[in-house]
Amino acid sequence: MRAEIVKDRVLVEKKAINEFYNNGYYGRPKPNGLELTLIEAVYLAYREKIEVEHEGKVLDFAGLFKAASILHPSFELKYIVYKDLRERGFYVQPGVTDFRVYPRGSHPGKGAAKQFVYVRSERAPMPLRDLLRSLAAAENVRKQMILAIVDEESDITFYDVKRPRLKGEMKEPLYPDINVDATFLEDRVVVWDEDASNTLFENGFYGKPLDSQRLQLSLVESRYLLEKGVLNINNRQNESLEVDAFSKMASEIEPEFNMKSSVYTDLRDKGVVPKTGFKFGSHFRVYSQVESPTKIPHSEYLIHSIPLDHEFALPVMSRAIRLANSVRKRMIYAIPTDDGIDYIDIGRVKM
Amino acid sequence: MRAEIVKDRVLVEKKAINEFYNNGYYGRPKPNGLELTLIEAVYLAYREKIEVEHEGKVLDFAGLFKAASILHPSFELKYIVYKDLRERGFYVQPGVTDFRVYPRGSHPGKGAAKQFVYVRSERAPMPLRDLLRSLAAAENVRKQMILAIVDEESDITFYDVKRPRLKGEMKEPLYPDINVDATFLEDRVVVWDEDASNTLFENGFYGKPLDSQRLQLSLVESRYLLEKGVLNINNRQNESLEVDAFSKMASEIEPEFNMKSSVYTDLRDKGVVPKTGFKFGSHFRVYSQVESPTKIPHSEYLIHSIPLDHEFALPVMSRAIRLANSVRKRMIYAIPTDDGIDYIDIGRVKM
């Protein structure tokens, strides 16, 4: 069937409405024919359903592909994703986002699209603010947000983005009536009292025993317990440290201390137990409940704190999520904002 | 037994030589007693074997620990690793590196130390040059290089560092007599000729089919094949691109292109097949041999290129290695130098 490039669209003669729209939901019917996006047109040309003219000449496939690549930013990326979804039987329509995808068994006119698909190249950094804006847009109309990331060899990885429900069972009081001295050494804090060490470790899964009598605490744990009045922290010269002085010293050791610490506090306040996620390259692994350090359950989440102006390097994000999923955890990003901590959960999905 | 802090060492009375050196290889025998490092002394004090005086006063354990923390940089980190190794039955001696460790069943005087252990905090960035210098020092005396990384909660992860042997079976010619046109689109290259597309994909596992007739190539693959004279690459305006022009355009799309490309070339020249490692957050996954794209074997290595002035953020390194190991691969770093590409293999070990 004959078609023609008009600006950044392709117009196909009128009978295409029946052949392509009614039988496949390609394009949008118009009074003078069927209007296709360049992506739809190249796909139909690949399937040898249409021949496309441009500036009076019929283009071969390579010619059409090159023309589309010039006319449409990120054409190849989007074509790769479109073709993949179409070939796996989904009806796909262009939308405010890159694509709206209909659930299997449904199609335009029958039901609503279920997913908004955003296509990105692995090479382009992805600003967190863009991601949050897209997520809000999808949530507003109750769609699932899908990221389709195309790697340099044109493989596609799909991720869904959503808000997690983090809720734990570790309610106060976890450390009744403790008020104990601790020392801020070079970059960690030690509690010297045996009873307090054991209670903090056993009841709240705070810290790690230095030995059977003494407890080492991380900087975020120490600040939390200092703020709760559980610890009195002294430096090595036996000078007492208030929360502000402690936080300042901790920030010198760990530049991300304040961000991490605000997330740690929020998580503890939600009743979950955050422990270091160093082995997984994340700030925290999180337990919903730890009845005893001798019966540590599976931790379901890895949590990494990022600032609102963060830009995701997608290979780094890919690695983080892949690792989390490989140990049966969800990868959660925690974002301190003026209204508290925002959490987003990004995971691989099969489409 | 009585002991005394002298500068940054601890001197124990003479009978300690028999009790601690002959029965445990603590310290170095001296004419006037047994000289311990602060780390050894704190460990023996923890085991209630010695009482340590400082400036005329006997110190309790907390006092000794604080004094050692002031006198010895990174004392807590090193103590944590020393205690861990000792408690698992290893004889450990101070050395040019942090510790020399004897293999099980051996001890000072009987055999040689097998491992050099370097202790680091997860928080301190690790310059690649330091790592390479340490590796060379260990190799010089045929020791295994071990990194002991202590996280903020004082858990230790051990890594061994070595040089991998990368050797593959994919010898030239993989693409006899091909000379074919290809187009540099927005950020990838497409070969339009069906036969050439199939040969490159089937014989050399280059690229990924766009469809049954056309092949998409990544930027590093394209440059390699351009240099070999296999491809003629044109831009979308049908202007021919030489290697330099192509590399310049590719570097604008991907800032690390030149580094990645030199590693890609070296790997192909070694007869292995590098494909993108995006899903693992690394530059490449590598196959020793790919007989056919329908029978893709397990890839044994992930390879990430880093410049000589790289500084490892240890949580990032931890995540990369953990992920590689979780999919039964080794994590290899590739470092372009003036004398070619250096490779180092870093993996988790159990001590």
Side-chain angles (χ1 to χ4, degrees), chain A residues 69 74 76 153-155 185-186 188 208 216 236 276 278 281 318-319, chain B residues 69 74 76 83 153-155 185-186 208 216 236 276 278 281 318-319:
Chain A
S69 173
S74 304
E76 297 97 89
E153 281 170 14
S154 311
D155 263 352
L185 299 169
E186 196 167 341
R188 56 205 71 214
K208 193 191 168 182
Q216 311 167 77
R236 288 178 289 196
T276 177
F278 168 72
S318 161
R319 177 191 282 173
Chain B
S69 172
S74 303
E76 297 98 88
K83 178 169 181 287
E153 282 170 14
S154 311
D155 262 353
L185 298 169
E186 196 166 340
K208 193 192 167 184
Q216 310 166 79
R236 288 178 288 194
T276 176
F278 168 71
S318 161
R319 178 191 281 172

PDB file of all heavy atoms in Angstrom, chain A residues 69 74 76 153-155 185-186 188 208 216 236 276 278 281 318-319, chain B residues 69 74 76 83 153-155 185-186 208 216 236 276 278 281 318-319:
ATOM      1  N   SER A  69      15.399   8.107  11.039  1.00  0.00           N
ATOM      2  CA  SER A  69      16.430   8.382  12.040  1.00  0.00           C
ATOM      3  C   SER A  69      16.777   9.870  12.082  1.00  0.00           C
ATOM      4  O   SER A  69      17.091  10.417  13.141  1.00  0.00           O
ATOM      5  CB  SER A  69      17.667   7.541  11.745  1.00  0.00           C
ATOM      6  OG  SER A  69      18.730   7.890  12.592  1.00  0.00           O
ATOM      7  N   SER A  74      16.021   9.887  18.682  1.00  0.00           N
ATOM      8  CA  SER A  74      16.051   8.558  19.319  1.00  0.00           C
ATOM      9  C   SER A  74      15.211   7.539  18.559  1.00  0.00           C
ATOM     10  O   SER A  74      14.639   6.626  19.149  1.00  0.00           O
ATOM     11  CB  SER A  74      15.556   8.625  20.771  1.00  0.00           C
ATOM     12  OG  SER A  74      16.306   9.549  21.490  1.00  0.00           O
ATOM     13  N   GLU A  76      15.949   5.009  16.541  1.00  0.00           N
ATOM     14  CA  GLU A  76      16.322   3.589  16.586  1.00  0.00           C
ATOM     15  C   GLU A  76      15.937   2.957  17.916  1.00  0.00           C
ATOM     16  O   GLU A  76      15.402   1.849  17.967  1.00  0.00           O
ATOM     17  CB  GLU A  76      17.831   3.405  16.368  1.00  0.00           C
ATOM     18  CG  GLU A  76      18.322   3.869  15.014  1.00  0.00           C
ATOM     19  CD  GLU A  76      18.890   5.272  15.086  1.00  0.00           C
ATOM     20  OE1 GLU A  76      20.090   5.422  15.353  1.00  0.00           O
ATOM     21  OE2 GLU A  76      18.115   6.233  14.869  1.00  0.00           O
ATOM     22  N   GLU A 153      24.075  -2.816  22.575  1.00  0.00           N
ATOM     23  CA  GLU A 153      23.864  -3.867  21.579  1.00  0.00           C
ATOM     24  C   GLU A 153      22.384  -4.067  21.284  1.00  0.00           C
ATOM     25  O   GLU A 153      21.992  -5.082  20.721  1.00  0.00           O
ATOM     26  CB  GLU A 153      24.481  -5.173  22.059  1.00  0.00           C
ATOM     27  CG  GLU A 153      25.980  -5.190  21.848  1.00  0.00           C
ATOM     28  CD  GLU A 153      26.635  -6.375  22.531  1.00  0.00           C
ATOM     29  OE1 GLU A 153      25.928  -7.298  22.934  1.00  0.00           O
ATOM     30  OE2 GLU A 153      27.872  -6.341  22.656  1.00  0.00           O
ATOM     31  N   SER A 154      21.554  -3.117  21.704  1.00  0.00           N
ATOM     32  CA  SER A 154      20.133  -3.109  21.381  1.00  0.00           C
ATOM     33  C   SER A 154      19.312  -4.152  22.114  1.00  0.00           C
ATOM     34  O   SER A 154      18.192  -4.446  21.719  1.00  0.00           O
ATOM     35  CB  SER A 154      19.908  -3.247  19.866  1.00  0.00           C
ATOM     36  OG  SER A 154      20.728  -2.331  19.178  1.00  0.00           O
ATOM     37  N   ASP A 155      19.864  -4.713  23.169  1.00  0.00           N
ATOM     38  CA  ASP A 155      19.040  -5.529  24.059  1.00  0.00           C
ATOM     39  C   ASP A 155      18.211  -4.607  24.939  1.00  0.00           C
ATOM     40  O   ASP A 155      18.674  -3.526  25.303  1.00  0.00           O
ATOM     41  CB  ASP A 155      19.920  -6.413  24.950  1.00  0.00           C
ATOM     42  CG  ASP A 155      20.067  -7.816  24.373  1.00  0.00           C
ATOM     43  OD1 ASP A 155      19.373  -8.142  23.394  1.00  0.00           O
ATOM     44  OD2 ASP A 155      20.877  -8.577  24.925  1.00  0.00           O
ATOM     45  N   LEU A 185      35.570   6.474  68.540  1.00  0.00           N
ATOM     46  CA  LEU A 185      36.974   6.230  68.198  1.00  0.00           C
ATOM     47  C   LEU A 185      37.236   6.844  66.831  1.00  0.00           C
ATOM     48  O   LEU A 185      36.668   7.875  66.499  1.00  0.00           O
ATOM     49  CB  LEU A 185      37.255   4.730  68.251  1.00  0.00           C
ATOM     50  CG  LEU A 185      37.035   4.116  69.644  1.00  0.00           C
ATOM     51  CD1 LEU A 185      37.058   2.601  69.585  1.00  0.00           C
ATOM     52  CD2 LEU A 185      38.092   4.615  70.619  1.00  0.00           C
ATOM     53  N   GLU A 186      38.072   6.212  66.017  1.00  0.00           N
ATOM     54  CA  GLU A 186      38.438   6.862  64.758  1.00  0.00           C
ATOM     55  C   GLU A 186      37.247   7.027  63.817  1.00  0.00           C
ATOM     56  O   GLU A 186      37.000   8.112  63.312  1.00  0.00           O
ATOM     57  CB  GLU A 186      39.562   6.078  64.077  1.00  0.00           C
ATOM     58  CG  GLU A 186      40.254   6.870  62.994  1.00  0.00           C
ATOM     59  CD  GLU A 186      41.557   6.190  62.564  1.00  0.00           C
ATOM     60  OE1 GLU A 186      42.070   5.354  63.340  1.00  0.00           O
ATOM     61  OE2 GLU A 186      42.038   6.489  61.455  1.00  0.00           O
ATOM     62  N   ARG A 188      34.246   4.748  64.328  1.00  0.00           N
ATOM     63  CA  ARG A 188      33.103   3.991  64.861  1.00  0.00           C
ATOM     64  C   ARG A 188      33.008   4.231  66.362  1.00  0.00           C
ATOM     65  O   ARG A 188      33.890   4.836  66.952  1.00  0.00           O
ATOM     66  CB  ARG A 188      33.182   2.511  64.502  1.00  0.00           C
ATOM     67  CG  ARG A 188      34.429   1.750  64.919  1.00  0.00           C
ATOM     68  CD  ARG A 188      34.647   0.547  63.998  1.00  0.00           C
ATOM     69  NE  ARG A 188      35.074   1.013  62.685  1.00  0.00           N
ATOM     70  CZ  ARG A 188      34.755   0.420  61.520  1.00  0.00           C
ATOM     71  NH1 ARG A 188      34.020  -0.660  61.521  1.00  0.00           N
ATOM     72  NH2 ARG A 188      35.189   0.917  60.380  1.00  0.00           N
ATOM     73  N   LYS A 208      27.469  -4.426  66.294  1.00  0.00           N
ATOM     74  CA  LYS A 208      28.070  -5.751  66.179  1.00  0.00           C
ATOM     75  C   LYS A 208      28.992  -5.925  67.374  1.00  0.00           C
ATOM     76  O   LYS A 208      29.770  -5.005  67.675  1.00  0.00           O
ATOM     77  CB  LYS A 208      28.881  -5.823  64.892  1.00  0.00           C
ATOM     78  CG  LYS A 208      29.276  -7.243  64.558  1.00  0.00           C
ATOM     79  CD  LYS A 208      30.275  -7.361  63.460  1.00  0.00           C
ATOM     80  CE  LYS A 208      30.772  -8.797  63.452  1.00  0.00           C
ATOM     81  NZ  LYS A 208      31.788  -9.040  62.450  1.00  0.00           N
ATOM     82  N   GLN A 216      30.240  -2.607  69.053  1.00  0.00           N
ATOM     83  CA  GLN A 216      30.623  -1.553  68.112  1.00  0.00           C
ATOM     84  C   GLN A 216      29.359  -1.063  67.407  1.00  0.00           C
ATOM     85  O   GLN A 216      28.563  -1.872  66.949  1.00  0.00           O
ATOM     86  CB  GLN A 216      31.537  -2.089  67.023  1.00  0.00           C
ATOM     87  CG  GLN A 216      32.690  -2.903  67.521  1.00  0.00           C
ATOM     88  CD  GLN A 216      33.365  -3.662  66.394  1.00  0.00           C
ATOM     89  OE1 GLN A 216      34.107  -3.087  65.632  1.00  0.00           O
ATOM     90  NE2 GLN A 216      33.067  -4.937  66.280  1.00  0.00           N
ATOM     91  N   ARG A 236      37.752  10.510  72.231  1.00  0.00           N
ATOM     92  CA  ARG A 236      38.832   9.767  72.883  1.00  0.00           C
ATOM     93  C   ARG A 236      39.501  10.565  73.996  1.00  0.00           C
ATOM     94  O   ARG A 236      40.257  10.036  74.786  1.00  0.00           O
ATOM     95  CB  ARG A 236      39.870   9.325  71.835  1.00  0.00           C
ATOM     96  CG  ARG A 236      39.324   8.211  70.953  1.00  0.00           C
ATOM     97  CD  ARG A 236      40.301   7.792  69.883  1.00  0.00           C
ATOM     98  NE  ARG A 236      40.447   8.810  68.851  1.00  0.00           N
ATOM     99  CZ  ARG A 236      41.004   8.576  67.660  1.00  0.00           C
ATOM    100  NH1 ARG A 236      41.467   7.369  67.364  1.00  0.00           N
ATOM    101  NH2 ARG A 236      41.113   9.539  66.768  1.00  0.00           N
ATOM    102  N   THR A 276      23.903  -2.343  57.581  1.00  0.00           N
ATOM    103  CA  THR A 276      24.682  -1.918  56.411  1.00  0.00           C
ATOM    104  C   THR A 276      24.460  -2.842  55.218  1.00  0.00           C
ATOM    105  O   THR A 276      24.390  -4.063  55.364  1.00  0.00           O
ATOM    106  CB  THR A 276      26.184  -1.839  56.712  1.00  0.00           C
ATOM    107  OG1 THR A 276      26.860  -1.497  55.491  1.00  0.00           O
ATOM    108  CG2 THR A 276      26.751  -3.166  57.191  1.00  0.00           C
ATOM    109  N   PHE A 278      26.683  -2.804  52.750  1.00  0.00           N
ATOM    110  CA  PHE A 278      27.977  -2.707  52.062  1.00  0.00           C
ATOM    111  C   PHE A 278      28.240  -3.886  51.127  1.00  0.00           C
ATOM    112  O   PHE A 278      28.675  -3.707  49.993  1.00  0.00           O
ATOM    113  CB  PHE A 278      29.134  -2.600  53.068  1.00  0.00           C
ATOM    114  CG  PHE A 278      30.481  -2.794  52.420  1.00  0.00           C
ATOM    115  CD1 PHE A 278      30.998  -1.806  51.589  1.00  0.00           C
ATOM    116  CD2 PHE A 278      31.202  -3.974  52.580  1.00  0.00           C
ATOM    117  CE1 PHE A 278      32.223  -1.987  50.947  1.00  0.00           C
ATOM    118  CE2 PHE A 278      32.425  -4.154  51.939  1.00  0.00           C
ATOM    119  CZ  PHE A 278      32.930  -3.157  51.136  1.00  0.00           C
ATOM    120  N   GLY A 281      26.707  -3.228  48.052  1.00  0.00           N
ATOM    121  CA  GLY A 281      26.974  -1.928  47.447  1.00  0.00           C
ATOM    122  C   GLY A 281      25.890  -0.897  47.697  1.00  0.00           C
ATOM    123  O   GLY A 281      25.825   0.119  47.019  1.00  0.00           O
ATOM    124  N   SER A 318      21.397  -0.553  36.724  1.00  0.00           N
ATOM    125  CA  SER A 318      21.171  -1.923  36.259  1.00  0.00           C
ATOM    126  C   SER A 318      21.876  -2.930  37.168  1.00  0.00           C
ATOM    127  O   SER A 318      21.312  -3.953  37.564  1.00  0.00           O
ATOM    128  CB  SER A 318      21.697  -2.055  34.824  1.00  0.00           C
ATOM    129  OG  SER A 318      21.901  -3.396  34.466  1.00  0.00           O
ATOM    130  N   ARG A 319      23.120  -2.617  37.517  1.00  0.00           N
ATOM    131  CA  ARG A 319      23.903  -3.525  38.367  1.00  0.00           C
ATOM    132  C   ARG A 319      23.255  -3.637  39.751  1.00  0.00           C
ATOM    133  O   ARG A 319      23.154  -4.725  40.306  1.00  0.00           O
ATOM    134  CB  ARG A 319      25.322  -2.971  38.486  1.00  0.00           C
ATOM    135  CG  ARG A 319      26.218  -3.775  39.390  1.00  0.00           C
ATOM    136  CD  ARG A 319      27.510  -3.014  39.660  1.00  0.00           C
ATOM    137  NE  ARG A 319      28.441  -3.104  38.548  1.00  0.00           N
ATOM    138  CZ  ARG A 319      29.597  -2.409  38.484  1.00  0.00           C
ATOM    139  NH1 ARG A 319      29.924  -1.580  39.459  1.00  0.00           N
ATOM    140  NH2 ARG A 319      30.389  -2.541  37.460  1.00  0.00           N
TER     141      ARG A 319
ATOM    142  N   SER B  69      43.989   3.463  70.020  1.00  0.00           N
ATOM    143  CA  SER B  69      43.281   4.152  68.927  1.00  0.00           C
ATOM    144  C   SER B  69      43.905   5.510  68.639  1.00  0.00           C
ATOM    145  O   SER B  69      43.926   5.971  67.498  1.00  0.00           O
ATOM    146  CB  SER B  69      41.803   4.288  69.299  1.00  0.00           C
ATOM    147  OG  SER B  69      41.123   5.101  68.371  1.00  0.00           O
ATOM    148  N   SER B  74      44.172   4.037  62.168  1.00  0.00           N
ATOM    149  CA  SER B  74      43.295   2.924  61.748  1.00  0.00           C
ATOM    150  C   SER B  74      43.370   1.736  62.699  1.00  0.00           C
ATOM    151  O   SER B  74      43.212   0.585  62.289  1.00  0.00           O
ATOM    152  CB  SER B  74      43.640   2.439  60.334  1.00  0.00           C
ATOM    153  OG  SER B  74      43.551   3.509  59.435  1.00  0.00           O
ATOM    154  N   GLU B  76      41.358   0.521  65.060  1.00  0.00           N
ATOM    155  CA  GLU B  76      40.175  -0.352  65.215  1.00  0.00           C
ATOM    156  C   GLU B  76      40.020  -1.285  64.022  1.00  0.00           C
ATOM    157  O   GLU B  76      39.773  -2.477  64.173  1.00  0.00           O
ATOM    158  CB  GLU B  76      38.891   0.469  65.372  1.00  0.00           C
ATOM    159  CG  GLU B  76      38.860   1.335  66.606  1.00  0.00           C
ATOM    160  CD  GLU B  76      39.256   2.765  66.285  1.00  0.00           C
ATOM    161  OE1 GLU B  76      38.383   3.557  65.935  1.00  0.00           O
ATOM    162  OE2 GLU B  76      40.469   3.074  66.406  1.00  0.00           O
ATOM    163  N   LYS B  83      41.983  -9.804  65.016  1.00  0.00           N
ATOM    164  CA  LYS B  83      41.238 -10.661  65.946  1.00  0.00           C
ATOM    165  C   LYS B  83      40.494 -11.740  65.170  1.00  0.00           C
ATOM    166  O   LYS B  83      40.492 -12.919  65.547  1.00  0.00           O
ATOM    167  CB  LYS B  83      40.261  -9.773  66.733  1.00  0.00           C
ATOM    168  CG  LYS B  83      39.373 -10.496  67.726  1.00  0.00           C
ATOM    169  CD  LYS B  83      38.664  -9.485  68.626  1.00  0.00           C
ATOM    170  CE  LYS B  83      37.763 -10.143  69.661  1.00  0.00           C
ATOM    171  NZ  LYS B  83      36.540 -10.693  69.101  1.00  0.00           N
ATOM    172  N   GLU B 153      29.815  -1.528  59.904  1.00  0.00           N
ATOM    173  CA  GLU B 153      29.399  -2.308  61.068  1.00  0.00           C
ATOM    174  C   GLU B 153      30.456  -3.324  61.469  1.00  0.00           C
ATOM    175  O   GLU B 153      30.183  -4.255  62.218  1.00  0.00           O
ATOM    176  CB  GLU B 153      28.075  -3.019  60.779  1.00  0.00           C
ATOM    177  CG  GLU B 153      26.902  -2.078  60.892  1.00  0.00           C
ATOM    178  CD  GLU B 153      25.616  -2.679  60.384  1.00  0.00           C
ATOM    179  OE1 GLU B 153      25.550  -3.902  60.181  1.00  0.00           O
ATOM    180  OE2 GLU B 153      24.666  -1.908  60.169  1.00  0.00           O
ATOM    181  N   SER B 154      31.657  -3.156  60.946  1.00  0.00           N
ATOM    182  CA  SER B 154      32.809  -3.962  61.336  1.00  0.00           C
ATOM    183  C   SER B 154      32.779  -5.386  60.811  1.00  0.00           C
ATOM    184  O   SER B 154      33.498  -6.243  61.302  1.00  0.00           O
ATOM    185  CB  SER B 154      32.995  -3.979  62.860  1.00  0.00           C
ATOM    186  OG  SER B 154      32.934  -2.659  63.359  1.00  0.00           O
ATOM    187  N   ASP B 155      31.938  -5.651  59.834  1.00  0.00           N
ATOM    188  CA  ASP B 155      32.036  -6.929  59.134  1.00  0.00           C
ATOM    189  C   ASP B 155      33.210  -6.853  58.158  1.00  0.00           C
ATOM    190  O   ASP B 155      33.477  -5.790  57.597  1.00  0.00           O
ATOM    191  CB  ASP B 155      30.755  -7.214  58.346  1.00  0.00           C
ATOM    192  CG  ASP B 155      29.814  -8.134  59.109  1.00  0.00           C
ATOM    193  OD1 ASP B 155      30.209  -8.642  60.175  1.00  0.00           O
ATOM    194  OD2 ASP B 155      28.686  -8.337  58.637  1.00  0.00           O
ATOM    195  N   LEU B 185      23.954   5.531  12.523  1.00  0.00           N
ATOM    196  CA  LEU B 185      22.724   6.249  12.820  1.00  0.00           C
ATOM    197  C   LEU B 185      22.962   7.108  14.066  1.00  0.00           C
ATOM    198  O   LEU B 185      24.058   7.601  14.260  1.00  0.00           O
ATOM    199  CB  LEU B 185      21.575   5.249  12.983  1.00  0.00           C
ATOM    200  CG  LEU B 185      21.297   4.435  11.709  1.00  0.00           C
ATOM    201  CD1 LEU B 185      20.344   3.285  12.002  1.00  0.00           C
ATOM    202  CD2 LEU B 185      20.708   5.321  10.609  1.00  0.00           C
ATOM    203  N   GLU B 186      21.960   7.259  14.898  1.00  0.00           N
ATOM    204  CA  GLU B 186      22.128   8.196  16.010  1.00  0.00           C
ATOM    205  C   GLU B 186      23.222   7.754  16.983  1.00  0.00           C
ATOM    206  O   GLU B 186      24.109   8.525  17.309  1.00  0.00           O
ATOM    207  CB  GLU B 186      20.791   8.386  16.750  1.00  0.00           C
ATOM    208  CG  GLU B 186      20.790   9.606  17.645  1.00  0.00           C
ATOM    209  CD  GLU B 186      19.378   9.955  18.093  1.00  0.00           C
ATOM    210  OE1 GLU B 186      18.416   9.511  17.427  1.00  0.00           O
ATOM    211  OE2 GLU B 186      19.245  10.658  19.100  1.00  0.00           O
ATOM    212  N   LYS B 208      23.814  -7.525  16.877  1.00  0.00           N
ATOM    213  CA  LYS B 208      22.539  -8.162  17.164  1.00  0.00           C
ATOM    214  C   LYS B 208      21.634  -7.909  15.972  1.00  0.00           C
ATOM    215  O   LYS B 208      21.566  -6.783  15.480  1.00  0.00           O
ATOM    216  CB  LYS B 208      21.931  -7.514  18.404  1.00  0.00           C
ATOM    217  CG  LYS B 208      20.767  -8.327  18.947  1.00  0.00           C
ATOM    218  CD  LYS B 208      19.952  -7.631  19.978  1.00  0.00           C
ATOM    219  CE  LYS B 208      18.684  -8.442  20.163  1.00  0.00           C
ATOM    220  NZ  LYS B 208      17.745  -7.800  21.094  1.00  0.00           N
ATOM    221  N   GLN B 216      22.592  -4.822  13.729  1.00  0.00           N
ATOM    222  CA  GLN B 216      22.981  -3.632  14.475  1.00  0.00           C
ATOM    223  C   GLN B 216      24.309  -3.922  15.155  1.00  0.00           C
ATOM    224  O   GLN B 216      24.477  -4.964  15.779  1.00  0.00           O
ATOM    225  CB  GLN B 216      21.983  -3.332  15.586  1.00  0.00           C
ATOM    226  CG  GLN B 216      20.549  -3.319  15.144  1.00  0.00           C
ATOM    227  CD  GLN B 216      19.612  -3.347  16.335  1.00  0.00           C
ATOM    228  OE1 GLN B 216      19.392  -2.340  16.977  1.00  0.00           O
ATOM    229  NE2 GLN B 216      19.060  -4.512  16.634  1.00  0.00           N
ATOM    230  N   ARG B 236      24.511   9.427   8.129  1.00  0.00           N
ATOM    231  CA  ARG B 236      23.166   9.405   7.549  1.00  0.00           C
ATOM    232  C   ARG B 236      23.073  10.256   6.289  1.00  0.00           C
ATOM    233  O   ARG B 236      22.110  10.167   5.549  1.00  0.00           O
ATOM    234  CB  ARG B 236      22.137   9.852   8.596  1.00  0.00           C
ATOM    235  CG  ARG B 236      21.930   8.787   9.656  1.00  0.00           C
ATOM    236  CD  ARG B 236      20.951   9.240  10.722  1.00  0.00           C
ATOM    237  NE  ARG B 236      21.520  10.258  11.584  1.00  0.00           N
ATOM    238  CZ  ARG B 236      20.998  10.636  12.753  1.00  0.00           C
ATOM    239  NH1 ARG B 236      19.881  10.061  13.182  1.00  0.00           N
ATOM    240  NH2 ARG B 236      21.562  11.557  13.486  1.00  0.00           N
ATOM    241  N   THR B 276      28.347  -6.725  25.328  1.00  0.00           N
ATOM    242  CA  THR B 276      28.069  -5.734  26.364  1.00  0.00           C
ATOM    243  C   THR B 276      27.733  -6.399  27.702  1.00  0.00           C
ATOM    244  O   THR B 276      27.041  -7.413  27.745  1.00  0.00           O
ATOM    245  CB  THR B 276      26.902  -4.800  25.975  1.00  0.00           C
ATOM    246  OG1 THR B 276      26.648  -3.926  27.088  1.00  0.00           O
ATOM    247  CG2 THR B 276      25.623  -5.561  25.686  1.00  0.00           C
ATOM    248  N   PHE B 278      26.143  -4.623  30.016  1.00  0.00           N
ATOM    249  CA  PHE B 278      25.219  -3.642  30.605  1.00  0.00           C
ATOM    250  C   PHE B 278      24.347  -4.237  31.709  1.00  0.00           C
ATOM    251  O   PHE B 278      24.186  -3.651  32.769  1.00  0.00           O
ATOM    252  CB  PHE B 278      24.313  -3.026  29.530  1.00  0.00           C
ATOM    253  CG  PHE B 278      23.169  -2.240  30.133  1.00  0.00           C
ATOM    254  CD1 PHE B 278      23.401  -1.032  30.760  1.00  0.00           C
ATOM    255  CD2 PHE B 278      21.866  -2.741  30.110  1.00  0.00           C
ATOM    256  CE1 PHE B 278      22.355  -0.312  31.348  1.00  0.00           C
ATOM    257  CE2 PHE B 278      20.817  -2.028  30.693  1.00  0.00           C
ATOM    258  CZ  PHE B 278      21.070  -0.815  31.314  1.00  0.00           C
ATOM    259  N   GLY B 281      26.093  -4.173  34.710  1.00  0.00           N
ATOM    260  CA  GLY B 281      26.716  -2.905  35.090  1.00  0.00           C
ATOM    261  C   GLY B 281      28.185  -2.814  34.745  1.00  0.00           C
ATOM    262  O   GLY B 281      28.908  -1.971  35.273  1.00  0.00           O
ATOM    263  N   SER B 318      32.551  -3.615  45.756  1.00  0.00           N
ATOM    264  CA  SER B 318      31.910  -4.742  46.440  1.00  0.00           C
ATOM    265  C   SER B 318      30.684  -5.229  45.661  1.00  0.00           C
ATOM    266  O   SER B 318      30.475  -6.420  45.462  1.00  0.00           O
ATOM    267  CB  SER B 318      31.503  -4.291  47.850  1.00  0.00           C
ATOM    268  OG  SER B 318      30.533  -5.132  48.409  1.00  0.00           O
ATOM    269  N   ARG B 319      29.878  -4.276  45.208  1.00  0.00           N
ATOM    270  CA  ARG B 319      28.667  -4.622  44.468  1.00  0.00           C
ATOM    271  C   ARG B 319      29.007  -5.312  43.151  1.00  0.00           C
ATOM    272  O   ARG B 319      28.395  -6.320  42.788  1.00  0.00           O
ATOM    273  CB  ARG B 319      27.875  -3.348  44.186  1.00  0.00           C
ATOM    274  CG  ARG B 319      26.622  -3.564  43.393  1.00  0.00           C
ATOM    275  CD  ARG B 319      26.048  -2.235  42.917  1.00  0.00           C
ATOM    276  NE  ARG B 319      25.310  -1.553  43.972  1.00  0.00           N
ATOM    277  CZ  ARG B 319      24.841  -0.304  43.866  1.00  0.00           C
ATOM    278  NH1 ARG B 319      25.062   0.392  42.759  1.00  0.00           N
ATOM    279  NH2 ARG B 319      24.171   0.241  44.850  1.00  0.00           N
TER     280      ARG B 319
END
